[in-house]
Amino acid sequence: MITIGLVQSDIKPGAVAENIAHYEETLRQRLTASVQLLVFPEMFACGFGPDLGSYADADRGRSLAFLQRVARQYGCETVGTVPVRERGNLYNRLYWVTPEGPLATYDKCHLFFGEERMQCIPGTQRTIVETLGYRFLPLICFDVRFPEWSRNHCVEGVPEYDCLLYTANFPDPREKVLLRLAAARAIENQAYVAVVNRVGTDGNGFAHRGGTAVFDPEGNMMASAALDREQIVTATLPLDTLASLRKRFPMLG
């Protein structure tokens, strides 16, 4: 089994150092359970604003260093997305980090309308992360609306992943849509789905209420955060439950 922690937090636009300090204090005060994986909201250290490029330039590796520092301190692995400038292009990049350093990355494929789509380059490949005895598919926010991108293909009779992770910035009132889509992704892919969303107002003036939750492979909500409140949600994901469902109802092939 694995226990995951989802950090639903406010994010001050562009204030990387302040946001990181706030996460450190939040973890000290509110992380009461032992977890093997901690997942932060999309653009966890800077949020969204009118100029993601300036956020990327100002970051200077602090967000990635924070993810590794947390992994070392709490003996877990961490996940979060960061605006990254590479060879002149800007990406919304997810990092999967262990205490030893980055394990995997994923560049967001489905960029949201407007500024993100105008500023960023979309990724073209999914990333399956095999770690902690599980296989994960980490995706980002707007990706949740594209079921073909999260399809759990079978390779030699074995599903590609056991848990689908979405790190998100879904604004009010669409957090309800986020939860409905996440439940659907769990059912159609016979996998756990964990989604972590932010609260507060971003740099574009959009309000966020949260909607952080974990779903079992039949789309039942296992755990959730209160709306409009900073909170760490934890849930334990047993592999035997997943194996039993897939055996009873082998819809994945």
Side-chain angles (χ1 to χ4, degrees):
M1 291 191 298
I2 184 175
T3 299
I4 64 173
L6 310 176
V7 185
Q8 178 170 289
S9 179
D10 195 359
I11 307 169
K12 293 192 175 181
V16 174
E18 188 173 349
N19 288 323
I20 286 174
H22 180 62
Y23 284 120
E24 289 173 336
E25 183 62 24
T26 296
L27 292 173
R28 277 194 294 270
Q29 292 184 359
R30 301 187 182 186
L31 185 59
T32 57
S34 176
V35 300
Q36 289 76 55
L37 180 64
L38 271 172
V39 189
F40 296 87
E42 182 183 20
M43 296 292 179
F44 73 95
C46 65
F48 276 97
D51 188 359
L52 281 177
S54 67
Y55 292 176
D57 296 337
D59 186 278
R60 288 178 281 190
R62 287 181 293 180
S63 299
L64 183 56
F66 163 76
L67 290 175
Q68 186 172 1
R69 187 163 65 249
V70 168
R72 287 175 175 167
Q73 181 175 352
Y74 293 95
C76 64
E77 298 183 7
T78 57
V79 176
T81 87
V82 180
V84 174
R85 194 184 296 280
E86 187 173 88
R87 295 188 294 274
N89 294 322
L90 190 65
Y91 299 91
N92 184 344
R93 179 165 295 170
L94 178 146
Y95 283 100
W96 193 296
V97 180
T98 73
E100 290 72 41
L103 177 65
T105 63
Y106 163 69
D107 291 335
K108 185 177 182 180
C109 174
H110 299 97
L111 304 174
F112 193 65
F113 310 114
E115 290 172 349
E116 186 185 33
R117 190 173 292 184
M118 288 188 293
Q119 295 180 68
C120 295
I121 300 295
T124 59
Q125 293 186 330
R126 303 193 316 173
T127 299
I128 301 293
V129 182
E130 190 164 356
T131 183
L132 303 169
Y134 286 67
R135 295 181 301 275
F136 296 89
L137 176 63
L139 298 178
I140 305 172
C141 201
F142 199 45
D143 284 333
V144 74
R145 287 186 177 268
F146 299 87
E148 70 283 358
W149 192 240
S150 63
R151 183 68 61 208
N152 199 357
H153 302 286
C154 280
V155 180
E156 297 182 353
V158 179
E160 283 183 295
Y161 64 84
D162 307 306
C163 181
L164 177 56
L165 295 181
Y166 288 105
T167 175
N169 261 244
F170 252 67
D172 177 47
R174 293 198 298 274
E175 76 278 347
K176 299 181 183 68
V177 175
L178 173 63
L179 294 177
R180 291 173 186 140
L181 289 169
R185 300 294 86 85
I187 295 167
E188 67 197 12
N189 293 297
Q190 289 190 323
Y192 293 104
V193 173
V195 54
V196 56
N197 198 25
R198 65 161 293 175
V199 295
T201 302
D202 68 14
N204 296 312
F206 295 118
H208 299 69
R209 302 192 66 200
T212 296
V214 181
F215 296 88
D216 73 13
E218 295 183 288
N220 302 305
M221 188 179 286
M222 300 172 64
S224 64
L227 294 178
D228 297 314
R229 191 173 117 193
E230 294 189 312
Q231 189 175 345
I232 299 177
V233 175
T234 60
T236 299
L237 315 180
L239 272 180
D240 56 354
T241 300
L242 190 59
S244 176
L245 172 64
R246 289 172 173 176
K247 185 176 181 179
R248 285 188 289 107
F249 193 54
M251 57 168 276
L252 296 178

